[in-house]
Amino acid sequence: MEGCKSHAATYILGISAYYHDSAAALIKDGHIVAAAQEERFTRIKHYSGFPGKSVKYCLEFAGIGLEDVRCIVFYDKPLLKFERLLETYLSFSPSGLKSFLKAMPVWLKEKVYLKRELRRALTEVSGLAPKQLPKLLFTGHHQSHAASAFFPSPFDRAAVLCLDGVGEWATTSAWNGDGAALEPLWQIDFPHSLGLLYSSFTYYLGFKVNSGEYKVMGLAPYGEPRFVELIRTELIDIKSDGSFRLNMAYFNYCTGLTMVNRRFEELFGMPVRKPESESLTQFHMDVAASIQQVLNECVVCLASALRKETGHDKLCLAGGVALNCVANSEVIRRAGFSEIWVQPAAGDAGGALGAALCAWYQLSGERQRNQVDGMSGTYLGPEFSNAEIREALDVSGAVYGYENEETLYARTASLIEGGNVVGWFQERMEFGPRALGHRSILGDPRRGEMQETMNLKIKFRESFRPFAPSVLLDDAKDWFECPQESPYMLLTAPVHPSRRLAEASNAVRGLELLKHARSEIPAVTHVDYSARLQTVGDQGSVRYRRLLEAFKSLSGCPVLINTSFNVRGEPIVATPEDAYRCFMATGMDYLVIGNYILEKTSQPNQEQYLDHINQFELD
């Protein structure tokens, strides 16, 4: 990279686009100012086009124009990716010709000439002439992931592990983070990929690739890992240091239009499950349990080897695989690190942030970092004042009441304690796939029926999928066996033994386990007594913490159900208008938006929102 000019205040804009989860992020003198995923504005989940609205948001939030930005940094190197595509097709020739012919027009039209396409889009967004645009730079894909993991982390020195489907060539990479320096150590290249292995099983189980992997993780505890040896014998060779190779005879993703082939189906004795049309059987649950265990083992081996190689006792994680909170938690328990930090926007969206940070530390000459969590709780998106919220509600014809700060939290806590499901829309939107108390749907975790009610009547999704708990940090160890803070909902923790109820009979299997209450907070306790945990402390959202404190004061329980404010297939809501539409189209009882409270039964014209959920393709 060539250098950015020195400036009193140096702004760098990072962009990820054209693959999936497009996003933009803006940093000022190395500090994260704003970041947003384009899907929140387009309302198209995993949107892959140019993130024009996200770019505009970041600039407007900072009060600058694109001409004030010193560098624009793209999160990978498209020519290297094109090289990998060509080499892969040549290696597997003549198979894959159909896939090759389908991919080439897009690459030749857009991605090979990406610099030109980016300049065109930036000119359109900014109104600047092409010659007036800031310098455009490119980082490596895994370099972006690694920078997003280490530089915002609270660690001065750490090992960094990046795991995803594939970047240009790398699918797994290891890095040494030291102060403001990030040194590459080694990588594993395509087609050998833990991300693509897990996505292949996602496809085989009938879920959507790049979207349904978390369903496999949620399904796994219902099954028995009886196919582990089959997977390890036939599909993946894992060495003692965690390095691995896949047996490509079973996979189709290099050249085909599917993830697995007929030989894969024959290996397991069942065809690929048809999405939405076939029920999930114990077989599918056992397959999910098996691939999750294999993933756990491989990630733990990789992390353990990296611990020995670097001598660091802190680990940073990024890449799409780092969103697998079960594997993350196994790393904490077994890999020898005292603490880990996972980039909350671990997938491609976070690459925009990593690209900007990578450029700052390489080009500015900085040698020091502030040793705090630089993600600001992920609250990096747009926010709306009470005046803006009221205007939006009035346009929608909504009926609402106003609560002041002294009464807002107690009133909302009382609604939740009374068994109501509440949409909670506050302050700046989260960056990343998790709702962390600013764009959330909340419920009482002590009510056993809440999991099914919220899944089927509010989220319109599969009944087996678990909900996550938010817990006050000071109370976390009384309710969960949590080894460290988990502010970003990227770790699992067992419910504390003192809060558990008797186990179900061994005769109860599969989805029948849903009917068995497992703890004092059954709606957030998975069938294996685990929970995907968010701890809320002094560094988190002030409003959300105050609500948790009010609920604890009222009920004695410092835990709330926290799920993202959307329906299945819909991006998390971004604006008051989005929130009101989602509220009206679902079984939510109340909406608390800013200081306004809306009761569903008081709202007019409810029938006009019935088609809302049909706008979104099922994920």
Side-chain angles (χ1 to χ4, degrees):
M1 288 184 194
E2 297 178 28
C4 295
K5 301 173 185 176
S6 92
H7 195 270
T10 299
Y11 289 97
I12 298 177
L13 179 69
I15 290 175
S16 65
Y18 303 123
Y19 299 101
H20 55 86
D21 297 317
S22 296
L26 184 69
I27 65 172
K28 176 184 177 182
D29 296 334
H31 300 285
I32 305 166
V33 173
Q37 203 164 319
E38 189 72 2
E39 66 165 24
R40 307 293 172 84
F41 304 107
T42 64
R43 310 309 299 154
I44 301 171
K45 199 161 188 179
H46 303 300
Y47 183 78
S48 62
F50 181 78
K53 292 181 173 63
S54 299
V55 169
K56 283 185 175 180
Y57 154 69
C58 288
L59 296 174
E60 289 172 0
F61 183 86
I64 62 171
L66 193 60
E67 65 274 14
D68 300 308
V69 172
R70 310 312 297 178
C71 313
I72 301 168
V73 195
F74 192 71
Y75 81 130
D76 73 4
K77 297 182 176 180
L79 290 180
L80 281 179
K81 190 166 284 189
F82 187 58
E83 173 191 87
R84 186 251 300 167
L85 187 72
L86 288 177
E87 286 197 21
T88 298
Y89 282 119
L90 287 172
S91 297
F92 285 85
S93 178
S95 66
L97 179 62
K98 184 177 180 181
S99 176
F100 178 78
L101 293 175
K102 183 178 180 181
M104 279 305 99
V106 176
W107 272 95
L108 293 175
K109 182 180 179 182
E110 296 178 359
K111 295 180 181 178
V112 170
Y113 301 105
L114 186 62
K115 195 167 189 176
R116 184 177 66 188
E117 174 63 19
L118 284 168
R119 288 193 173 280
R120 184 202 63 76
L122 289 163
T123 296
E124 186 177 312
V125 166
S126 66
L128 298 177
K131 291 184 178 180
Q132 296 175 305
L133 292 172
K135 190 171 186 66
L136 183 59
L137 307 173
F138 296 79
T139 63
H141 187 95
H142 270 235
Q143 185 181 19
S144 297
H145 277 320
S148 78
F150 178 62
F151 291 134
S153 80
F155 307 145
D156 181 53
R157 301 174 70 246
V160 182
L161 183 60
C162 302
L163 305 150
D164 65 2
V166 60
E168 293 91 3
W169 279 102
T171 68
T172 303
S173 64
W175 305 72
N176 180 59
D178 190 346
L182 192 56
E183 174 195 4
L185 299 175
W186 48 262
Q187 68 183 48
I188 297 171
D189 285 345
F190 182 86
H192 308 290
S193 166
L194 289 181
L196 291 173
L197 173 67
Y198 203 84
S199 290
S200 294
F201 278 87
T202 301
Y203 173 85
Y204 180 65
L205 292 171
F207 303 129
K208 187 177 290 187
V209 172
N210 290 329
S211 177
E213 282 77 8
Y214 56 92
K215 298 184 186 182
V216 179
M217 183 178 69
L219 188 64
Y222 294 95
E224 297 293 330
R226 59 189 178 96
F227 299 110
V228 166
E229 286 308 310
L230 182 67
I231 294 171
R232 294 202 58 163
T233 301
E234 296 292 334
L235 300 184
I236 182 171
D237 178 21
I238 306 173
K239 305 300 184 185
S240 59
D241 63 356
S243 60
F244 58 89
R245 290 185 64 84
L246 302 188
N247 183 350
M248 298 310 300
Y250 290 97
F251 300 97
N252 206 32
Y253 57 74
C254 283
T255 57
L257 300 176
T258 60
M259 296 298 293
V260 301
N261 57 27
R262 184 165 295 178
R263 186 174 176 182
F264 187 104
E265 295 176 307
E266 291 171 352
L267 180 67
F268 288 94
M270 291 280 283
V272 171
R273 175 178 167 264
K274 295 179 181 178
E276 309 299 327
S277 62
E278 295 181 14
S279 61
L280 289 160
T281 67
Q282 191 63 47
F283 167 79
H284 299 114
M285 299 171 202
D286 293 348
V287 169
S290 302
I291 187 56
Q292 182 63 52
Q293 183 167 314
V294 170
L295 179 73
N296 294 347
E297 291 174 6
C298 198
V299 176
V300 168
C301 283
L302 285 165
S304 298
L306 189 55
R307 167 84 172 91
K308 293 176 184 176
E309 179 179 357
T310 64
H312 295 316
D313 69 344
K314 305 288 197 303
L315 175 69
C316 300
L317 293 168
V321 176
L323 294 172
N324 192 299
C325 55
V326 175
N328 295 344
S329 300
E330 287 297 304
V331 168
I332 287 182
R333 284 190 276 271
R334 297 165 50 198
F337 290 95
S338 64
E339 193 173 357
I340 74 169
W341 190 89
V342 185
Q343 165 53 241
D348 275 16
L353 176 61
L357 289 167
C358 182
W360 166 257
Y361 284 104
Q362 281 197 22
L363 306 176
S364 68
E366 280 291 319
R367 293 293 175 264
Q368 300 295 325
R369 295 190 297 123
N370 291 328
Q371 299 312 300
V372 296
D373 185 328
M375 288 300 294
S376 301
T378 76
Y379 307 123
L380 298 167
E383 62 181 328
F384 300 85
S385 66
N386 275 324
E388 291 171 316
I389 291 168
R390 180 167 186 153
E391 181 180 357
L393 293 177
D394 287 341
V395 169
S396 298
V399 176
Y400 53 82
Y402 180 86
E403 295 284 340
N404 59 37
E405 288 292 303
E406 285 66 41
T407 60
L408 178 68
Y409 309 104
R411 172 84 193 284
T412 306
S414 178
L415 293 173
I416 296 171
E417 202 271 341
N420 295 290
V421 177
V422 174
W424 178 255
F425 183 106
Q426 304 291 335
E427 302 177 289
R428 296 186 71 182
M429 182 176 68
E430 300 91 339
F431 181 54
R434 307 287 187 235
L436 299 170
H438 283 193
R439 302 290 188 274
S440 295
I441 300 173
L442 308 175
D444 187 343
R446 302 168 302 165
R447 294 175 176 268
E449 75 279 3
M450 268 298 170
Q451 180 178 2
E452 184 173 7
T453 296
M454 292 178 73
N455 266 328
L456 300 181
K457 296 183 179 180
I458 293 159
K459 301 288 281 188
F460 300 103
R461 67 186 196 181
E462 302 92 340
S463 63
F464 70 82
R465 288 166 60 180
F467 285 108
S470 296
V471 60
L472 289 168
L473 179 60
D474 289 344
D475 295 296
K477 290 190 176 180
D478 291 333
W479 290 80
F480 303 94
E481 294 182 298
C482 48
Q484 66 170 68
E485 295 183 26
S486 179
Y488 300 130
M489 207 182 281
L490 285 169
L491 301 174
T492 61
V495 173
H496 197 280
S498 66
R499 306 290 178 180
R500 298 180 190 179
L501 303 178
E503 293 189 27
S505 163
N506 289 334
V508 179
R509 300 185 69 203
L511 297 185
E512 287 296 312
L513 289 166
L514 279 171
K515 300 176 183 177
H516 179 76
R518 294 167 294 283
S519 78
E520 296 176 26
I521 42 174
V524 294
T525 305
H526 210 6
V527 294
D528 59 353
Y529 290 101
S530 70
R532 178 163 52 88
L533 188 63
Q534 178 196 6
T535 56
V536 181
D538 292 340
Q539 303 304 313
S541 167
V542 174
R543 283 198 155 200
Y544 192 41
R545 187 177 73 249
R546 289 188 65 181
L547 176 60
L548 279 160
E549 290 168 347
F551 187 73
K552 177 187 176 183
S553 178
L554 181 65
S555 67
C557 177
V559 183
L560 286 173
I561 301 172
N562 176 13
T563 190
S564 56
F565 199 148
N566 60 338
V567 296
R568 183 181 173 191
E570 179 187 19
I572 294 173
V573 299
T575 67
E577 293 86 351
D578 297 336
Y580 187 72
R581 282 192 298 269
C582 186
F583 166 64
M584 293 297 291
T586 66
M588 274 183 272
D589 302 296
Y590 287 86
L591 171 62
V592 182
I593 180 167
N595 284 70
Y596 298 101
I597 297 184
L598 291 73
E599 183 179 7
K600 174 66 65 62
T601 57
S602 300
Q603 304 307 309
N605 304 318
Q606 295 186 32
E607 64 282 353
Q608 75 182 68
Y609 296 94
L610 296 179
D611 288 336
H612 174 73
I613 61 173
N614 297 325
Q615 299 175 34
F616 305 105
E617 183 180 352
L618 295 180
D619 62 2

